[in-house]
């Protein structure tokens, strides 16, 4: 591995001794190959690091991993590739090629940062978010969330704390275990139909659905290449009726499954941009992935269309009274305004300002979680750390970007078109502003 870092360093000095390279596309492709191989090697030492790979089989690491993370070698190689990117002559690049260059730079910064963290480097929540995801998470005071809780206090009847009343009320909307599969498949089928009307999805795209346990997340998409995914849904805790459409869209259509399939179709197969054959999870790509997956829920099921479909199809399938849907979603809308409270819990916990127990109590109060669900969420903080910003901040940045391009709710066709373009091309958080 030292030899690889040495060869990369030599190539940099050769570039520095002359004009910037006159074959920028060839140089980009060479850097892309080295980047993919580096990401795959790092993935041997962290099972969460490589979220997906669908490139050449012979690029995968050969042999057993070393007993100790070779962090110095990995950091040197990432730094060498960053220097090579600096030497690219991009004067003749179009907007799309420039976006490719910018994204590869951001991706390599995140790769280098993650290795430094694996080697023991300590970063604050905000520092980590900036280096890994190219984003600056907002800050909110506790009083901000207290004021939002007042609206829920008035909306929820009964005795006890707001959280206790919310949990008691929500218990009427749990999907029975024996009806989960029927409800989710109906939601997925409708989400796919709506997405296909606007995206003309690849003919071979498809996914397998599995129900799993003992995970820190509620759903996960494992993209496997050639338009195929494995989607897993965690059944550790009760699943509420709104999660059917949320997860069908987020993990499937027009979320992760579609995002990965479009990147593969348009960038890997269409342009030969091989760096998009690998997806390092702790990288700027994740903010776009998670943000677009959450944004896509409202694109696929705008306004009253969601409630109408749920009342007509999903509520009856789950054995839940459809007449309760309107009030339930009014309360869910109020609760959604507390969304960033989860980021504040993660920030305080990861910055060691509060304990796990205090973080769980915060989540119970401000996200209205049951105690078991709150503790599950702290496990997510442990495993994925500042990744939490990608869901809500990512969604809001995608929303603002698409609206700025004219993709508003009253222009649905334009919104779908801009959304598809976003999913099909290189973007990072700073580029959306």
């Amino acid at each position: 591995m030292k030899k690889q870092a040495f060869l990369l360093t030599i190539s940099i000095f050769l570039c520095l001794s002359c004009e910037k390279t006159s074959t920028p596309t060839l140089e980009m492709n060479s850097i892309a190959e080295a980047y993919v191989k580096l990401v795959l090697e790092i993935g041997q030492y962290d099972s969460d690091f490589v979220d997906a790979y669908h490139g050449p089989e012979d690029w995968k690491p050969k042999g057993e991993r070393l007993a100790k993370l070779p962090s110095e070698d990995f950091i040197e190689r990432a730094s060498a590739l960053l220097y090579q990117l600096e030497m690219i002559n991009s004067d003749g690049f179009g907007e799309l090629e420039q976006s490719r260059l910018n994204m590869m730079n951001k991706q390599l910064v995140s790769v280098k940062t993650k290795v430094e963290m694996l080697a023991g480097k300590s970063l604050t929540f905000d520092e980590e978010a900036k280096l890994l995801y190219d984003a600056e998470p907002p800050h909110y005071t506790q009083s901000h969330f207290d004021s939002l809780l007042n609206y829920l206090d008035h909306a929820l009847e009964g005795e006890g704390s707001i959280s206790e009343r919310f949990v008691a009320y929500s218990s009427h909307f749990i999907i029975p275990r024996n009806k989960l599969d029927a409800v989710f498949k109906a939601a997925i089928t409708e989400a796919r139909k709506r997405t296909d009307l606007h995206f003309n999805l690849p003919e071979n795209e498809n996914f397998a659905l599995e129900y799993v346990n003992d995970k820190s997340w509620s759903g996960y998409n494992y993209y496997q290449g050639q338009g195929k995914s494995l989607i897993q849904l965690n059944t550790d805790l009760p699943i509420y009726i709104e999660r059917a459409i949320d997860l069908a869209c987020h993990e499937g259509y027009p979320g992760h499954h579609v995002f990965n399939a479009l990147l593969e179709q348009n960038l890997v197969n269409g342009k030969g941009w091989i760096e998009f054959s690998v997806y390092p999870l702790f990288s700027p790509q994740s903010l776009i992935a998670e943000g677009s997956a959450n944004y896509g829920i409202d694109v696929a099921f705008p306004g009253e269309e969601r409630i109408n479909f749920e009342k007509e199809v999903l509520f009856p399938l789950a054995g839940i009274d459809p007449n309760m849907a309107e009030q339930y979603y009014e309360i869910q809308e109020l609760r959604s305004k507390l969304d960033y409270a989860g980021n504040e819990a993660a920030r305080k916990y990861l910055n060691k300002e509060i304990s796990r127990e205090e973080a769980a109590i915060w989540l119970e109060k401000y996200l209205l979680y049951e105690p078991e669900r709150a503790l599950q969420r702290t496990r997510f903080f442990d495993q994925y750390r500042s990744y939490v910003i990608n869901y809500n901040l990512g969604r809001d940045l995608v929303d603002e970007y698409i609206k700025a391009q004219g993709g508003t709710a009253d222009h649905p066709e334009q919104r779908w078109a801009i959304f598809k373009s976003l999913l099909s091309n290189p973007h990072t958080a700073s580029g959306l502003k």
Side-chain angles (χ1 to χ4, degrees), residues 1-9 38 41-42 45 66 69-80 115:
M1 291 184 183
K2 284 287 187 181
K3 182 179 179 181
Q4 290 173 290
F6 174 75
L7 290 174
L8 279 171
T9 304
L38 174 60
E41 286 186 45
I42 297 169
Y45 299 87
L66 301 177
L69 171 75
S71 56
E72 184 179 341
D73 174 70
F74 289 155
I75 291 167
E76 286 179 2
R77 288 162 63 187
S79 298
V115 174

Side-chain angles (χ1 to χ4, degrees), residues 8 73 93 129 150 156 161 181 252 264 352 379 384 391:
L8 279 171
D73 174 70
F93 278 8
N150 289 333
L156 291 166
S161 67
D181 194 53
E264 181 183 25
K352 302 188 186 305
R379 287 173 53 206
Y384 297 104
Y391 299 99

Side-chain angles (χ1 to χ4, degrees), residues 155-213:
L156 291 166
E157 300 177 353
E159 301 293 328
S161 67
I162 299 173
S163 178
E164 289 170 338
R165 281 179 278 154
F166 179 80
V167 170
Y169 175 72
S170 298
S171 66
H172 299 290
F173 301 90
I174 294 172
I175 306 171
R177 287 290 182 100
N178 64 341
K179 297 181 179 180
L180 274 177
D181 194 53
V183 172
F184 271 108
K185 284 181 177 175
I188 290 167
T189 298
E190 181 68 15
R192 187 192 187 283
K193 182 177 75 175
R194 289 167 176 252
T195 302
D196 194 36
L197 285 173
H198 302 276
F199 280 15
N200 191 22
L201 296 169
E203 289 184 12
N204 65 334
E205 66 80 21
N206 203 350
F207 65 82
L209 181 63
E210 292 182 353
Y211 299 94
V212 298
N213 298 101

Side-chain angles (χ1 to χ4, degrees), residues 37 112 134 213 223 281 310 370:
K37 291 176 179 178
K112 180 182 176 183
D134 188 36
N213 298 101
Y223 189 69
L281 186 67
E310 295 204 4
E370 309 98 308

